Amino acid sequence: MFKNVRGFKVKTSVLLALVLLFTSILLPAGQHASAAPSFAKGADISWVPGMEAQGYKWKDKNGVQRDIIDILKKDYQINSVRIRVFVNPSNDYGNGYMNKDRAAALAQRAKNAGMSVMLTLHYSDSWADPGKQSKPAAWKNYSFQQLMDAVWNYTREVMTAMQNKGVTPDWVQIGNETSNGMLWDDGKASVNMKNYAWLVNTGHNAVKSISSGTKTIVHLAGGDDNALYVWNIGGLINNGANFDMIAMSLYPSASGWNTAVTNTVNNAKDMINRYGKEIMISEIGMDNNQAAAGKSFVAAMKNQIRNLPNGKGKGVFYWEPQATPGYNGGYGKGAWQSNMMPTAVMEGFID
């Protein structure tokens, strides 16, 4: 039965319905996602454990040293966090480190602070993005059926690790910036859209088998690139993939952010009209030294996504705001300064 549920070769809707029915009967109430905020004002904070291990300590705008999660929540109205998970990462703080156990511990901290949690499953040992979607080393020689089995089992393992810490994520991304698919080359969208769809469906079904209330997300880069989304999302849907939400990334320049926001919002509206999906902006960022423009950019994204038609705009997440200039070899789009005090960027989230 599970092979059919994972691969959805026959009567997927019936099989998935059965899985969800048995899940709702067998799992206690605490095993379901709690109500997500009506609109997520979020931050990807996946570098926090590694930064803390290196001795980083953050200050608020008054120079008072405080827990970074407390600052984000109380000072900037951040109600949600986004946490990435690698399969078998190295201990490199910047490019690995976040295995399922470290991710679960961070999720527990966020939940204890009253925040909602989004997971980003990279299905890789390190970064998965539009330019690379490398299989985990342990999965390298798998057949496609074995790859689907691995996605199924690993997704459930991560969800279970979260629930062992008392956390049921509100959202789970099936892959990260899968603009040309995932788990290359088997799931490379430009080579085999059907395989990509099957992998997405496998991850979706695995999440739902643990928590029927958790929303699944397909996340692409270039939120202002409508043609990319029509090709990718349309291709997934035409090949039978099931997922709940569409997520977008956007990293505009300080001089071009207005146009980028307009194009992204128009793209989001088109996705809603075409596919009826909810929209999440799961990554935004701007150069650290452009704080005034960054604050305006954040506020514009928040306000315009929140006002998408039919309540379909569900949130905006800033990527690694706690990063200082040059962290991890030169990342320059965080919202904290070298003196460990914040810029004005995150003030764009304040209503």
Side-chain angles (χ1 to χ4, degrees):
M1 172 180 163
F2 281 158
K3 285 188 183 296
N4 285 333
V5 172
R6 297 176 204 168
F8 65 92
K9 291 185 177 181
V10 291
K11 297 188 182 299
T12 303
S13 59
V14 175
L15 291 165
L16 179 57
L18 288 171
V19 170
L20 298 184
L21 174 61
F22 284 116
T23 299
S24 64
I25 294 170
L26 295 174
L27 292 179
Q31 301 276 315
H32 297 271
S34 57
S38 58
F39 188 81
K41 296 194 284 187
D44 189 312
I45 59 168
S46 305
W47 269 333
V48 163
M51 294 181 78
E52 289 176 335
Q54 296 171 80
Y56 284 83
K57 297 180 185 297
W58 292 268
K59 297 176 182 177
D60 62 23
K61 63 182 179 181
N62 297 316
V64 178
Q65 185 177 298
R66 291 162 51 199
D67 181 88
I68 184 61
I69 293 175
D70 184 66
I71 296 172
L72 289 169
K73 181 184 179 183
K74 294 180 180 176
D75 296 13
Y76 302 109
Q77 300 179 2
I78 298 301
N79 58 28
S80 305
V81 299
R82 180 174 181 259
I83 301 171
R84 64 180 160 271
V85 193
F86 299 130
V87 177
N88 291 303
S90 72
N91 282 320
D92 184 312
Y93 294 124
N95 303 300
Y97 202 65
M98 291 304 286
N99 59 25
K100 66 179 185 293
D101 295 322
R102 288 184 175 124
L106 183 59
Q108 184 182 49
R109 281 176 62 184
K111 182 186 176 181
N112 289 344
M115 292 180 168
S116 292
V117 174
M118 178 195 293
L119 298 185
T120 306
L121 302 181
H122 279 239
Y123 298 110
S124 183
D125 293 335
S126 188
W127 304 104
D129 56 43
K132 55 186 179 299
Q133 294 282 338
S134 302
K135 295 174 188 172
W139 303 2
K140 183 177 179 181
N141 296 317
Y142 283 0
S143 68
F144 188 65
Q145 180 63 55
Q146 289 172 323
L147 205 57
M148 286 195 294
D149 289 347
V151 167
W152 171 269
N153 291 327
Y154 173 71
T155 303
R156 285 173 53 87
E157 287 171 11
V158 175
M159 291 292 289
T160 300
M162 292 287 153
Q163 293 191 330
N164 287 342
K165 291 289 190 180
V167 179
T168 300
D170 286 294
W171 315 275
V172 176
Q173 286 189 197
I174 309 302
N176 183 71
E177 292 190 329
T178 57
S179 300
N180 193 13
M182 58 197 288
L183 291 159
W184 290 352
D185 282 335
D186 294 69
K188 198 168 193 175
S190 58
V191 174
N192 196 322
M193 185 69 77
K194 185 175 183 179
N195 279 3
Y196 171 38
W198 282 30
L199 291 167
V200 167
N201 214 67
T202 301
H204 165 88
N205 290 345
V207 168
K208 298 292 187 177
S209 76
I210 299 291
S211 169
S212 60
T214 296
K215 297 286 186 75
T216 58
I217 298 176
V218 170
H219 168 219
L220 312 184
D224 54 348
D225 185 353
N226 178 249
L228 167 66
Y229 282 71
V230 172
W231 171 73
N232 187 300
I233 301 300
L236 285 174
I237 290 172
N238 289 340
N239 281 277
N242 293 312
F243 58 96
D244 298 317
M245 304 176 75
I246 299 168
M248 304 175 173
S249 297
L250 188 68
Y251 292 94
S253 67
S255 61
W257 68 263
N258 280 289
T259 298
V261 169
T262 297
N263 291 340
T264 299
V265 170
N266 287 338
N267 185 28
K269 290 177 179 177
D270 186 55
M271 292 297 101
I272 293 167
N273 289 337
R274 286 176 187 266
Y275 310 120
K277 300 287 189 184
E278 295 176 336
I279 304 296
M280 187 75 82
I281 308 299
S282 62
E283 292 186 25
I284 60 171
M286 188 176 286
D287 289 347
N288 185 285
N289 59 3
Q290 299 289 339
K295 176 181 174 180
S296 297
F297 165 55
V298 170
M301 287 296 289
K302 174 196 69 179
N303 293 331
Q304 294 190 50
I305 296 300
R306 186 160 53 190
N307 289 315
L308 285 172
N310 304 316
K312 295 287 190 180
K314 293 303 181 181
V316 175
F317 286 73
Y318 202 91
W319 200 82
E320 302 284 10
Q322 83 290 341
T324 53
Y327 180 73
N328 194 36
Y331 184 70
K333 298 181 186 295
W336 255 256
Q337 304 170 76
S338 298
N339 64 5
M340 301 312 296
M341 292 174 63
T343 70
V345 168
M346 298 300 284
E347 293 174 13
F349 281 108
I350 300 173
D351 288 321

